Amino acid sequence: MSPTTSTQARGLGRALLAARIRRLAVACAVFATLGGIPASRADPADVNWSSDFGAPGLTGDPSGWWSAIRSTVNWNGTLVVGGNITHAGGTPVQNVVAWNGSEFAALGAGLNGTVTSLAVVGTTLYAAGDFTASGATPLPNVARWTGAAWAAVGSGPPDDATELTLAADGSTLLLLGRFTSIGSPPVAARCVAAWNGTAWSDLGGFAGAEFGILRAAARVGSVLYVGGYLDDGSTPNYLNAWDGSDWSYNVAGLDGEVLLLSAVGSDLYLYGDFYSADNGNVVVQNLARWDGATIHPLTDDVSSVLGMGADSGQLFVVGAFYDHPGPACSYWDGFGWTAGPERVWGQFGANLASFTRIGGDLFLAGNIQGFYDYTDGGVIKGGRGIVAWDGTRFRSLGTGFGVADEGYVYGVTEFDGRLVATGNFKMIGELGGAQGIAAWDGAQWSRLGSGLNDPFGNPSGDQLAIWNGRLVVSGYFTGAGAVNSRHIIAWNGSGWEGFNGGFAGQGAQIVDFGGQLVAGGLLQTEMGSGAPLGHVARWTGSQWQTVGTMTPAAGASAARLAVWNGKVVCAGLFAGINGVPTQNIAQWNGVSWSPIGNGLNGRVSALGVHGGELYASGDFTASGASLLPGRMARWDGIDWVGVGTGLDYYADEMTSAGGKLFVLGAFSHAGGAPANRLASWDGTDWSALGSGLGQGPGGNNLGGLDLTPFDGDLFVAGFFNTAGDKSAQRIARWELPTTTAVEAAPADTGLRVSTLSRNPTSDHISFLIQVPTDDYVDAGVFDIRGRLVTRLLANRLPAGEHHVSWNGRDTAGAPASAGVYWLRVSTTRGQSSQKVVWLR
């Protein structure tokens, strides 16, 4: 849940992000010859979505990231990566990107389908795959990079060519795959063709076969080998050799398909679906060495090799080795296996598809989700798709501050000047060991202690609230650090505090009600005493005390809590609470419960407070005899009324920010217009936030779960992988319009603020606040951009006059600069502001 108090806004994060944007601009200038990063937004307003919250590294299909990277290559000292790639960090790209050592950049408009293979011949970069164009330029399956754009390679292979692989052979580019001709007019070229920089040709009159495919090529000395599976109807040919004048077929006498070939010194290494060689006389099991005359087995079976090649004079293989004692990459020195860099990590263990060495860095690519950092206690850190090994430790490539594993973010709020996110993630950005909770300072994530605990290793924080200077977390966990407090715990800024063992219910809603912590949900019993808690309870300072039990008990739920008009509002699915009849929504004044009008005739899923008014969303259609369109309602003090034409599906969360009410859910329309899972209400009209939130892993449509203002912008959390056209891994940032001044509240609220005379000897300014009724009062000093400098008061006060003072310092105790500021005072009934001139 978002806090009911104003969000603290700090400039540090913006300054650091602006510096990084400037660095990116410099990198883009360096990459001007690469064609720059394309601007292809689905909606012009998507410019307001931040690109900072992708994952570090590269991501692919928005429904997931499995096997996104297919090929890497060293192009004139620059690493080029191809595959199914949609974003580098948070920036949109199309399937091929370049890394200059500090930043990723797109290569022109990219290629519109998966890039399966890359090769460099001379200084020219080539790509092959399942693409048909680059931007508006048709490019069937094979393309070359001119330095400014992707261009055709002759007339290329026919449209029915499939499973293409590239290989460099001196000054010649080889194309292998499944095809029977190439070029226009067509040249007969069965499964392999050669490009000399000007024209395509067959390769030395290669006879091939009636059907089959070639997958790999490598040269050892004067002999070129091609491998795959070719069948002429009588004899299958798996490994074939070209000596410059003649072909020799099925050399080595293999009994299965060749998938990979690599030359290391004077030896050829081959991997594939074969078991024996020399026409059945030698058992080789998938991986073997050919010296030009004899086939040699390696010492044991190595399964699922996805890439191999020479590195440091040895054979280096990458893949997923289920039967091999090494990790997902290993060296063969001619006598035995040596483990490669340990350890990269994926969802089911890392499947490495490719590697490339540039200078002292070894780049590993494939199904990578992170890496173990033994310089930081061995925790797993984020780095999707590709990582670099410098001989001592791994590092991720590029920046991205979204969730780096397959966890979700369930709640976000501001605490102590930082954005706190909670969920079931363990990695966020490059931070590892988060254990379900982390704090963002505008530039990086940090852990809160050792995170949340769970005996099964999968803790999950669900809800967040600020209470008495503490951050309270509820969810599915047994405690945090050495503190056992099941399902609810508090962070005091330096350590964890418990609540008498917590309670048996989980995922509880939590709010601060004038200094009282109130929880709602299926709370069951208090762990310390075993006392039943019903559906709504408050913390007395030593134990939980029931304040609300719903009827009927079976199926009743406290779905949402909010503080409004000096009361706790509880909503969900129930017919009464503590014996008071009420339809799915009720209010508690600290002593007793009462209905809010005629209630709402269906489950209430979300509550919000905006402009001093109470909003609700849910699966309802009416309040009493009054119809309510679009699953949204507003309490006007007398009746529940509609909110325009509402939503086509109910909202799950709401917050007020920047003068608007923002709603979040699985809806697709707001006010009758498209609004993808996120929309705003300005009191008159509904608006979409660009093209909204994308799907999550596996194509789920669950969308967002929480949202909160922070640092002058709106942060959203949930299941999604994209926000607008940006990669946004479970957390996204929408830029709100900059506030140039703090506006005064209407005079009829009865709230008054005035400045008393400044005492020049005590160096502070005193203020008089007149509160018309007993109310919760929040008073803070803001700069002229609307950013909080420091909070002076956040308490329930009785009606009457109250004095506060400001010593000219910010929250951290640093002196504020001379200039114009505003004292803003907020209550549940409205706001009032007073201009302040601070002179040092």
Side-chain angles (χ1 to χ4, degrees), residues 408-433:
Y408 303 117
V409 178
Y410 296 135
V412 283
T413 197
E414 183 255 339
F415 174 71
D416 196 24
R418 298 188 294 174
L419 179 76
V420 177
T422 192
N424 64 348
F425 56 85
K426 295 180 178 64
M427 295 187 295
I428 188 164
E430 194 177 311
L431 178 71

Side-chain angles (χ1 to χ4, degrees), residues 23 27 30-31 34 75-81 97-105 358 361 363 386 388 395-399:
R23 291 197 302 271
V30 172
F31 271 66
L34 303 183
W75 172 56
N76 304 328
T78 295
L79 176 72
V80 179
V81 187
V97 295
W99 170 258
N100 70 348
S102 60
E103 300 281 355
F104 280 111
I358 300 178
D361 284 331
F363 297 92
I386 186 165
R395 69 178 188 276
S396 60
L397 272 61
T399 57

Side-chain angles (χ1 to χ4, degrees), residues 645-648 667-679 686-690:
T645 56
L647 312 171
D648 65 347
F667 52 84
S668 61
H669 287 74
N676 197 17
R677 302 180 178 90
L678 185 60
W686 286 100
S687 300
L689 275 66

Side-chain angles (χ1 to χ4, degrees), residues 679-694:
S680 67
W681 170 255
D682 63 6
T684 304
D685 298 308
W686 286 100
S687 300
L689 275 66
S691 51
L693 303 176

Side-chain angles (χ1 to χ4, degrees), residues 503-506 508-509 519-526 533-537 544:
F503 42 65
Q506 56 182 278
Q509 295 286 308
L522 299 177
L523 305 181
Q524 299 176 25
T525 59
E526 184 181 46
L533 294 179
H535 298 92
V536 185
W544 291 98

Side-chain angles (χ1 to χ4, degrees), residues 533-779:
L533 294 179
H535 298 92
V536 185
R538 66 179 172 185
W539 176 248
T540 67
S542 60
Q543 65 181 25
W544 291 98
Q545 180 185 76
T546 303
V547 298
T549 300
M550 298 175 179
T551 54
S557 66
R560 287 293 184 264
L561 296 180
V563 176
W564 165 77
N565 198 26
K567 301 178 180 67
V568 173
V569 178
C570 176
L573 181 66
F574 51 90
I577 185 166
N578 280 11
V580 177
T582 180
Q583 197 168 31
N584 302 316
I585 190 166
Q587 56 187 350
W588 181 61
N589 62 8
V591 177
S592 60
W593 290 94
S594 60
I596 304 178
N598 292 319
L600 299 161
N601 71 341
R603 181 192 297 270
V604 179
S605 60
L607 294 172
V609 177
H610 173 64
E613 296 183 308
L614 178 66
Y615 287 77
S617 182
D619 197 17
F620 51 78
T621 58
S623 175
S626 301
L627 297 179
L628 296 170
R631 300 170 178 83
M632 284 288 299
R634 175 178 61 87
W635 177 250
D636 67 1
I638 300 174
D639 295 306
W640 288 101
V641 297
V643 183
T645 56
L647 312 171
D648 65 347
Y649 196 77
Y650 54 79
D652 295 309
E653 187 58 85
M654 306 184 203
T655 197
S656 180
K660 296 181 180 180
L661 177 71
F662 291 87
V663 299
L664 180 67
F667 52 84
S668 61
H669 287 74
N676 197 17
R677 302 180 178 90
L678 185 60
S680 67
W681 170 255
D682 63 6
T684 304
D685 298 308
W686 286 100
S687 300
L689 275 66
S691 51
L693 303 176
Q695 295 179 334
N700 76 56
N701 291 303
L702 297 175
L705 294 172
D706 199 12
L707 69 174
T708 192
F710 172 74
D711 198 21
D713 291 329
L714 181 72
F715 281 76
V716 188
F719 295 97
F720 50 83
N721 279 348
T722 57
D725 64 340
K726 312 298 195 307
S727 174
Q729 300 295 321
R730 321 295 195 270
I731 192 164
R733 180 176 186 162
W734 172 265
E735 183 177 348
L736 295 172
T738 301
T739 303
T740 57
V742 182
E743 298 179 358
D748 60 6
T749 63
L751 177 67
R752 300 290 184 271
V753 179
S754 58
T755 304
L756 301 178
S757 59
R758 177 174 175 173
N759 183 342
T761 62
S762 62
D763 199 27
H764 71 264
I765 300 178
S766 297
F767 305 95
L768 175 66
I769 301 173
Q770 294 176 294
V771 183
T773 61
D774 179 23
D775 207 341
Y776 184 86
V777 180
D778 183 329

